[in-house]
Amino acid sequence: MAFVRSFVASLVACIGLVVHAVEPAYQSPYRVAFGSPTAELIPDILHGDRATPQNQSSVAFADWYTPATKRRYGPWGPPLAHLPVPALSDGKSAEWKRERVIAIGLRYVGLGYQHHHVADWDPPGDWPWKPVVSGHNGKGLDCSNFTTMAYTLALGIKPPSAIEKQATMTVAPLPDGRSVSVRRIERPASHEAFAAALQTGDLLFMKNDAGRVSHVVLWVGTIGRSPDGTPLILDSTDMSRKDHRGMPIPRGVQLRPFPPKSWYFRNLTHALRLIPDEPPR
């Protein structure tokens, strides 16, 4: 037996075989506790055709990978369709609508980070690519395309996908030519005061070192659950972030903490609210 072990060791050394341990999948310590069952928030996403990839672009699915689409849209791929306002949202409370936005956003947790408009668009190897840290093309959304997709699927509200335009919008269009008013919330001085001013589903914008708005996240709010009580956000990013345990959170769409000393809070500029507050009863 000793001879066999020695022989195997020598063979491994000779052929340069390297055995790597399989890294366990990331287990997020964060979760969301909705006030309504998920089956009531997004039944059309779970069992309907609203979330079917073929229906999510204004370009016919048969043309997603054609030379014409490549020439016209380049690395961004086919654009997102402006889906109709879902009938099941009629008469629903602002709280229900806000939770629906987050419930739909959570369906994309684990999706990679790419500069694409549609989550399920998966370009072939010869397609133009706007490089990201993850190192290769594939399915994915960037920050502002993720928030645009979440609101379009959830409520038929389609914010601009360009981050600068999304950060400065005063109205957000509906598919029938109408629009919803957007309320701007300026940044208070303290982390506690800002958290108290926000509602689930609000869009939070961050600036880069050059002072330009470069990132947007969804505020999870009071329905978020973290072991240490830190507020949560939901976003797609290609930046390396860690959870409260110091473990790296995968890039792409994930729940992430929003502590006072985080890059998110330090670089925060303002928030936008697309779902109006309900009048006092």
Side-chain angles (χ1 to χ4, degrees):
M1 184 63 69
F3 170 78
V4 173
R5 286 196 296 268
S6 176
F7 174 77
V8 171
S10 299
L11 180 62
V12 168
C14 287
I15 65 176
L17 179 63
V18 178
V19 179
H20 295 283
V22 177
E23 292 292 332
Y26 176 74
Q27 298 293 322
S28 176
Y30 309 119
R31 63 184 184 89
V32 174
F34 294 111
S36 300
T38 302
E40 294 179 8
L41 287 170
I42 55 171
D44 53 338
I45 302 298
L46 296 174
H47 306 294
D49 60 1
R50 192 172 181 86
T52 302
Q54 291 88 331
N55 299 329
Q56 291 178 354
S57 176
S58 54
V59 172
F61 182 69
D63 297 327
W64 277 21
Y65 304 102
T66 62
T69 298
K70 181 189 291 187
R71 287 193 301 271
R72 182 170 183 181
Y73 300 108
W76 294 95
L80 181 68
H82 198 159
L83 299 177
V85 175
L88 80 164
S89 67
D90 291 345
K92 294 295 196 301
S93 66
E95 180 182 8
W96 184 93
K97 293 176 181 178
R98 289 166 178 152
E99 290 192 1
R100 177 171 162 86
V101 171
I102 299 300
I104 287 178
L106 287 173
R107 301 288 294 174
Y108 293 98
V109 165
L111 183 72
Y113 183 92
Q114 298 289 347
H115 296 292
H116 298 163
H117 294 302
V118 177
D120 280 276
W121 182 63
D122 193 5
D126 62 347
W127 203 278
W129 181 48
K130 187 175 181 181
V132 295
V133 173
S134 53
H136 59 83
N137 215 337
K139 292 183 181 182
L141 294 170
D142 62 22
C143 62
S144 53
N145 277 290
F146 169 63
T147 52
T148 296
M149 193 161 190
Y151 265 94
T152 304
L153 281 173
L155 301 170
I157 300 171
K158 190 182 181 189
S161 60
I163 184 70
E164 299 88 354
K165 292 182 179 180
Q166 192 173 120
T168 56
M169 63 180 171
T170 56
V171 295
L174 294 167
D176 57 3
R178 296 177 300 146
S179 60
V180 296
S181 296
V182 176
R183 175 187 170 191
R184 182 181 173 110
I185 303 170
E186 300 299 340
R187 171 188 171 133
S190 71
H191 181 268
E192 294 78 9
F194 199 95
L198 298 177
Q199 293 281 5
T200 295
D202 287 348
L203 301 178
L204 277 62
F205 295 89
M206 291 84 196
K207 60 185 178 182
N208 57 22
D209 293 339
R212 297 177 57 186
V213 173
S214 63
H215 194 59
V216 59
V217 309
L218 287 169
W219 181 256
V220 176
T222 56
I223 61 175
R225 299 291 184 269
S226 58
D228 60 353
T230 301
L232 301 180
I233 56 173
L234 179 61
D235 73 335
S236 183
T237 181
D238 205 27
M239 295 180 286
S240 178
R241 303 296 176 204
K242 295 182 178 180
D243 62 26
H244 74 287
R245 305 166 299 184
M247 296 185 64
I249 302 173
R251 292 179 170 89
V253 181
Q254 295 284 343
L255 285 167
R256 293 182 170 89
F258 188 84
K261 295 182 179 179
S262 66
W263 176 89
Y264 289 108
F265 181 67
R266 288 187 286 104
N267 291 67
L268 188 63
T269 62
H270 66 284
L272 294 180
R273 181 166 300 161
L274 280 64
I275 301 171
D277 297 322
E278 293 177 326
R281 295 181 181 179

